């Protein structure tokens, strides 16, 4: 456990010093800060919609970029630099290495989300004149979405090159965001046959479903009455944790068998 | 070591099954609460689609809606319709878009003389129905639908069930609850109107000393309750003011004075001001079905071959007369059918209070030897969304309406041919 935490701490320290990640974070913070400037485009409720949806959009996008860019290089860089031999020559198991890398990445994501979240809450408070606590669950869900994405990227990084990983993870994220909407659309269309529907249904079960975490709409449109929001949040977080654990176990299996 | 791997592989399989089960549980909740719900993002440019996918759905929707507002203020009404589709796809819970969009379709497409293009009204109803399906737990769009029937279509019978649904929601704006009582009264359900005013009055009484607004609400409801009871007693009680009936001696004529220009005139023997006669010109044997179910799926297209004109003529000194010019709007009045019916209707449900005081809001105090007819009707059944927060009683009532209402009206129909309206063979077209 100590070894895992030590690797996680080192990963976190290294990640928060990475210039590209700091640049992404600073740009996101700056954009969130200026988001109240969109208010005058639309009056009243329209202003609220613009500001909150824009803020959420920026945070989600920044979180996605940070997760992919940070995690793609976590394991391959260690192999490339040959520092992994030094680490594994110590009493560190390979699974501890993978776990440490993942927890370090999640810690970094948590730190970045905390920064963006605080700035977002301040910006909305200044723009709308009220503190909207409903934003926090939305941010929490995005954090789990990014953590799941980080697990996907780490999983791929155990057997593909970083360049391929960028596209592969990006593709999985895109698909995982669209599949539920696509399934919903075809389920509403009576002309769609089971031959089309069943493969889509299967894919929504197999691939990580990132759309589950996009819960910002009722926060943006507060009149909405959501059915079982607590059950939904708990199940979605449980889903993220189970999927992450599955991906980490798979990563360990692959990484264990990899010759170095 | 190998055994451990097997255990891990089994663990992966077990975790996969657990996540699949969780996903199967999450999906119905997601579909109910968070799904976009519209068919396809047809019309989004690739960059807009990318922005939407990148997590800016609602932001893009809000920006497009601002743009649509710009189109509205510049009079570019046609450009707004596809924007409505895009915005509701991106953000199906934006109530403003549904209510404003339906209002736009129902009210703003007009001819040169500010007569509404009523072919758009079924589109507005379908659009609102879609909004209700996407937002079943909010009262606003039920109210908007009721308002469309009550005000634009002037069909209080069908306004009632939608208002009933809206009134089921405790957060409905108090003053808007009054409209159900007005709709009851106009549709001839006087007992329900009195009951509803009574209920509203008692509700207001509880809070009458809370603040100025509550006290105003109490006064308004008290006045309305008293007026409603008095109106009913005066019109239908002992020695009713609506008797003996007024002989309307109704008649109407239509003359084509120029191609696509009609002169309509006639007589209506109402001995007071405030009566209006509705004139409708439409393809023979065809009319507009004002129900959301009239359209199978939502579309922004109206039938370009269908001609439908509706106007309202003021009666002064028991006469009415107007020149109706349809020559400047060939898109709205295409005149493609071989024959047309010109329909003149006077019905008292939306007449002014002084007219209703004499003949009743259901026409019991009017008589006509030739054109008087009784209309008996029930509201169209409504398919209430599964997740609407309404009581079983109201759900049953609006899904299977049984209460029939009736009223009297005078109606005369005159048939014209296309040749006559276009004056073909006289001036040539």
């Amino acid at each position: 456990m100590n070894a895992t935490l030590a690797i996680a701490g080192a990963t976190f320290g290294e990640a928060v010093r990475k210039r590209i990640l700091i640049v992404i974070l600073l740009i996101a913070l700056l954009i969130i800060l200026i988001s109240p400037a969109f208010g005058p485009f639309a009056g009243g409720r329209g202003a609220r919609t613009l500001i909150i949806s824009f803020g959420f959009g920026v945070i989600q996008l920044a979180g996605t970029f940070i997760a992919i860019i940070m995690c793609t290089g976590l394991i391959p860089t260690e192999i490339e630099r040959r520092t992994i031999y030094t680490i594994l020559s110590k009493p560190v198991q390979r699974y501890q290495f993978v776990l440490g890398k993942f927890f370090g990445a999640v810690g970094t994501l948590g730190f970045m989300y905390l920064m963006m979240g605080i700035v977002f809450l301040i910006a909305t408070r200044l723009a709308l004149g009220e503190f909207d606590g409903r934003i926090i669950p939305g941010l929490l869900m995005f954090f789990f979405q990014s953590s799941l994405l980080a697990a996907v990227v780490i999983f791929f990084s155990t057997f593909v090159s970083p360049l391929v990983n960028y596209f592969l993870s990006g593709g999985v994220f895109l698909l995982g965001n669209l599949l539920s909407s696509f399934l919903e659309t075809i389920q509403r269309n009576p002309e769609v046959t089971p031959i089309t529907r069943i493969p889509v249904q299967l894919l929504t079960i197999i691939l990580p479903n990132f759309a589950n975490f996009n819960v910002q709409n009722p926060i943006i449109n507060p009149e909405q009455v959501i059915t079982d929001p607590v059950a939904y949040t708990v199940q979605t977080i449980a889903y993220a944790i189970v999927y992450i654990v599955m991906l980490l176990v798979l990563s360990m299996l692959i990484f264990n068998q990899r010759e170095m | 070591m190998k055994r451990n791997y097997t255990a891990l592989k089994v663990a992966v399989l077990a975790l996969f099954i657990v996540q699949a089960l969780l996903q199967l549980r999450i999906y119905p909740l997601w579909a109910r609460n968070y799904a976009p719900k519209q068919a396809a993002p047809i019309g989004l440019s690739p960059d807009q689609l990318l922005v939407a996918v990148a997590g800016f759905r609602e932001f893009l929707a809000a920006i497009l809606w601002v743009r649509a507002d710009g189109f509205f203020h510049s009079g570019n009404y046609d450009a707004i319709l596809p924007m409505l589709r895009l915005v509701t796809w991106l953000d199906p819970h934006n109530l403003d878009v549904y209510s404003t969009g339906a209002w736009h379709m129902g009210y703003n497409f007009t001819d040169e003389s500010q007569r509404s293009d009523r072919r758009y009204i079924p589109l507005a109803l379908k659009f609102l129905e879609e909004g209700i399906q996407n937002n079943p737990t909010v009262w606003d769009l039920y109210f908007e639908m009721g308002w469309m029937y009550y005000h634009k279509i002037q069909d209080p019978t069908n306004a009632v069930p939608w208002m009933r649904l809206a009134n089921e929601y405790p957060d409905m704006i108090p003053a808007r609850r009054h409209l159900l009582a007005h709709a009851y009264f106009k549709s001839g359900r006087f007992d329900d109107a009195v009951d509803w005013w009574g209920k509203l009055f008692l509700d207001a009484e509880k809070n009458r000393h809370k603040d100025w607004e509550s006290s105003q609400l109490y006064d308004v409801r008290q006045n309305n309750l008293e007026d409603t009871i008095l109106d009913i007693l005066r019109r239908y009680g002992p020695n009713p003011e609506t008797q003996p009936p007024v002989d309307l001696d109704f008649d109407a004529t239509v003359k084509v004075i120029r191609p696509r220009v009609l002169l309509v005139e006639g007589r209506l023997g109402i001995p007071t001001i405030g009566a209006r006669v509705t004139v409708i010109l439409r393809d023979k044997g065809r009319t507009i079905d004002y129900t959301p179910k009239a359209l199978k799926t939502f579309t922004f297209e109206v039938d370009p071959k269908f001609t439908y004109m509706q106007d309202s003529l003021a009666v002064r000194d028991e006469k009415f007369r107007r020149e109706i010019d349809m020559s400047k709007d060939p898109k709205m009045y295409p005149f493609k059918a071989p024959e047309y019916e010109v329909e003149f209707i006077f019905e008292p449900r939306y007449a002014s209070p002084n007219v209703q005081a004499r003949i009743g809001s259901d026409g019991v105090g009017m008589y006509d030897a030739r054109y008087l007819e009784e209309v008996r009707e029930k509201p169209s059944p409504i398919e209430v969304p599964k997740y609407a927060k309404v009581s079983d009683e109201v759900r049953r009532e609006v899904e299977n309406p049984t209460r029939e209402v009736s009223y009297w009206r005078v109606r005369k129909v005159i048939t014209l041919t296309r040749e006559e309206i276009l004056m073909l063979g006289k001036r040539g077209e």
Side-chain angles (χ1 to χ4, degrees), chain A residues 111-183:
Chain A
F111 170 72
M112 305 253 175
Y113 268 101
L114 190 67
M115 292 289 108
M116 291 191 287
I118 290 168
V119 172
F120 187 32
L121 284 168
I122 292 169
T124 49
R125 170 73 182 80
L126 290 175
L128 308 173
E130 56 174 4
F131 172 77
D132 194 340
R134 283 169 297 197
I135 288 172
I136 296 168
L139 293 171
L140 185 74
M141 293 296 258
F142 280 154
F143 167 70
F144 277 99
Q145 186 186 52
S146 297
S147 300
L148 178 57
L149 179 61
V152 171
V153 181
I154 288 176
F155 166 69
F156 284 135
S157 75
T158 57
F159 61 93
V160 297
S161 68
L163 187 66
V164 177
N165 197 352
Y166 280 121
F167 291 104
L168 211 52
S169 307
V172 169
F173 183 72
L174 202 65
L175 262 179
N177 252 315
L178 292 177
L179 270 175
S180 285
S181 302
F182 187 49
L183 178 63

Side-chain angles (χ1 to χ4, degrees), chain B residues 148-159:
Chain B
M148 191 66 86
Y149 278 108
Y150 182 84
H151 183 256
K152 185 67 195 177
I153 304 169
Q154 300 207 331
D155 176 357
T157 309
N158 276 302

Side-chain angles (χ1 to χ4, degrees), chain B residues 187-200:
Chain B
S187 68
R189 292 171 66 170
F190 304 126
D191 50 344
D192 288 325
V194 172
D195 284 351
W196 192 251
W197 278 125
K199 183 193 170 309
L200 293 176

Side-chain angles (χ1 to χ4, degrees), chain A residues 96-253:
Chain A
Q96 289 175 317
F97 178 75
V98 174
L99 274 182
K101 286 288 174 190
F102 175 75
F103 287 133
V106 169
T108 312
L109 282 170
F111 170 72
M112 305 253 175
Y113 268 101
L114 190 67
M115 292 289 108
M116 291 191 287
I118 290 168
V119 172
F120 187 32
L121 284 168
I122 292 169
T124 49
R125 170 73 182 80
L126 290 175
L128 308 173
E130 56 174 4
F131 172 77
D132 194 340
R134 283 169 297 197
I135 288 172
I136 296 168
L139 293 171
L140 185 74
M141 293 296 258
F142 280 154
F143 167 70
F144 277 99
Q145 186 186 52
S146 297
S147 300
L148 178 57
L149 179 61
V152 171
V153 181
I154 288 176
F155 166 69
F156 284 135
S157 75
T158 57
F159 61 93
V160 297
S161 68
L163 187 66
V164 177
N165 197 352
Y166 280 121
F167 291 104
L168 211 52
S169 307
V172 169
F173 183 72
L174 202 65
L175 262 179
N177 252 315
L178 292 177
L179 270 175
S180 285
S181 302
F182 187 49
L183 178 63
E184 172 70 5
T185 303
I186 61 173
Q187 280 189 337
R188 280 171 168 253
N189 188 346
E191 288 165 20
V192 173
T193 59
I195 299 168
T196 315
R197 199 181 58 242
I198 291 167
V200 178
Q201 273 173 327
L202 280 175
L203 272 178
T204 52
I205 293 169
I206 295 166
L207 287 176
N209 199 317
F210 293 102
N212 291 345
F213 305 91
N214 296 337
V215 296
Q216 66 271 42
N217 194 285
I219 301 166
I220 294 161
N221 301 300
E223 305 86 1
Q224 291 309 307
V225 180
I226 298 299
T227 332
D228 300 333
V230 177
Y232 183 83
T233 308
V234 169
Q235 285 173 13
T236 308
I237 291 174
Y239 170 81
I241 293 169
V242 170
Y243 213 110
I244 287 169
V245 174
M246 183 183 82
L247 286 171
L248 290 178
V249 174
L250 273 173
S251 307
M252 289 171 209
L253 276 172

Side-chain angles (χ1 to χ4, degrees), chain B residues 11-28:
Chain B
V12 167
L13 190 67
L15 287 166
F16 178 79
I17 292 166
V18 174
Q19 73 80 23
L21 291 173
L22 276 168
Q23 177 56 32
L24 289 172
R25 280 183 71 88
I26 291 167
Y27 180 77

Side-chain angles (χ1 to χ4, degrees), chain A residues 78-96:
Chain A
E78 300 281 3
I79 298 169
E80 209 175 278
R81 288 189 199 149
R82 297 178 186 277
T83 44
I84 193 161
Y85 300 113
T86 324
I87 297 166
L88 293 180
S89 65
K90 290 172 181 166
V92 175
Q93 298 294 320
R94 287 191 181 196
Y95 80 87
Q96 289 175 317

Side-chain angles (χ1 to χ4, degrees), chain B residues 32-50:
Chain B
R32 194 188 312 167
N33 294 322
Y34 308 101
K37 297 188 173 72
Q38 254 47 273
I42 299 160
L44 279 182
S45 62
D47 53 326
Q48 287 172 336
L49 192 60
L50 193 69

